[in-house]
Amino acid sequence: IPDNPTLSAYEDVFSGSTGVRVIRSLAVSVGVTVCGTLINLFFTLTMAYGLSRTNLIGKKAILNMVLFTMVVNGGMIPTFLLVKNLGMYDTFSALILPGAISAYNMLIVRNFFIELPNELEEAASIDGCSDIGIFIKIALPLSLPVIATFGLFYAVGHWNNYFGALLYLEDQNKYPFQLVLRNIVMQTADTSANADQELPEDTLKMAVIVIGTVPILCVY
């Protein structure tokens, strides 16, 4: 237990130019996480529900294409060239759209939809409900546990992602928090030999790490 607890490390992190960078990057990370998670859930749920229907034409071929993406990956350089040629380089969409859907998560959600009772769908059809109505009014309300689970998975993935920003972002004002955290830790390590430094290197590191951990803990 510390003899004299102090919040000086957090004051240093949020003061000056570093504080501006941290606050801006936190806002970027929150925006990317919220928008990215909503997009992930939209594509995952809609595709999973469509592929869970027995009357879908070409379902086997689509499933095979999905499984193919789990085995074969284009690689970092082709993906970078694709993002750049699509005009997403140095934009927030480069952090969201390339991973808009996870094949593995989609297959698990599809299996969940398959286990839903067919009687509910038949009763809704008799009452005149459309396919979209069945999906919105019956399938989604019964799928809140799986939506919460994979929404959390997607949110944590977006929040912790820094490598995508390192590859696709050039403007430092667009950096998410994890990339700023990485830069601060590296910068702190480079200046650790400075005798005039008031706080130890590890103190600043841990303060920034706590700041990056608390928001996602609140989500949990």
Side-chain angles (χ1 to χ4, degrees):
I1 300 176
D3 294 332
N4 299 307
T6 176
L7 299 177
S8 298
Y10 298 99
E11 294 176 2
D12 282 6
V13 170
F14 284 107
S15 62
S17 59
T18 302
V20 174
R21 279 194 302 158
V22 169
I23 295 174
R24 182 172 57 232
S25 64
L26 282 172
V28 170
S29 288
V30 170
V32 169
T33 299
V34 172
C35 296
T37 302
L38 292 176
I39 291 175
N40 291 143
L41 289 176
F42 174 80
F43 285 111
T44 300
L45 293 171
T46 51
M47 187 172 187
Y49 181 76
L51 291 176
S52 67
R53 302 301 88 192
T54 57
N55 58 349
L56 177 65
I57 300 175
K59 180 174 69 174
K60 185 175 181 180
I62 297 175
L63 277 175
N64 288 334
M65 288 190 289
V66 172
L67 293 173
F68 181 79
T69 64
M70 299 177 64
V71 179
V72 179
N73 192 316
M76 181 179 10
I77 295 178
T79 304
F80 175 84
L81 294 176
L82 179 63
V83 169
K84 188 173 182 179
N85 291 333
L86 289 176
M88 293 190 295
Y89 182 73
D90 202 25
T91 64
F92 294 127
S93 59
L95 306 180
I96 299 174
L97 296 183
I101 185 171
S102 166
Y104 180 79
N105 293 346
M106 190 277 296
L107 291 176
I108 296 178
V109 178
R110 171 183 174 271
N111 292 334
F112 181 88
F113 283 137
I114 291 176
E115 298 298 325
L116 294 179
N118 292 327
E119 291 79 6
L120 294 176
E121 179 182 349
E122 294 173 357
S125 299
I126 293 174
D127 290 339
C129 196
S130 62
D131 291 335
I132 297 179
I134 294 173
F135 172 65
I136 296 176
K137 297 180 181 179
I138 296 179
L140 289 184
L142 294 175
S143 306
L144 293 182
V146 75
I147 294 174
T149 300
F150 287 101
L152 185 60
F153 288 168
Y154 280 127
V156 172
H158 283 294
W159 183 262
N160 291 333
N161 180 29
Y162 84 93
F163 192 65
L166 187 63
L167 287 178
Y168 305 132
L169 294 184
E170 188 174 349
D171 186 359
Q172 295 188 6
N173 293 328
K174 299 178 182 178
Y175 281 0
F177 179 78
Q178 299 300 333
L179 186 55
V180 171
L181 168 61
R182 169 186 174 273
N183 294 339
I184 290 176
V185 170
M186 294 178 62
Q187 180 181 356
T188 305
D190 293 337
T191 59
S192 60
N194 187 358
D196 297 332
Q197 188 174 358
E198 297 181 359
L199 294 173
E201 167 196 350
D202 288 341
T203 303
L204 293 175
K205 283 185 182 180
M206 295 303 110
V208 178
I209 291 173
V210 168
I211 294 170
T213 306
V214 167
I216 205 67
L217 283 178
C218 295
V219 174
Y220 271 100

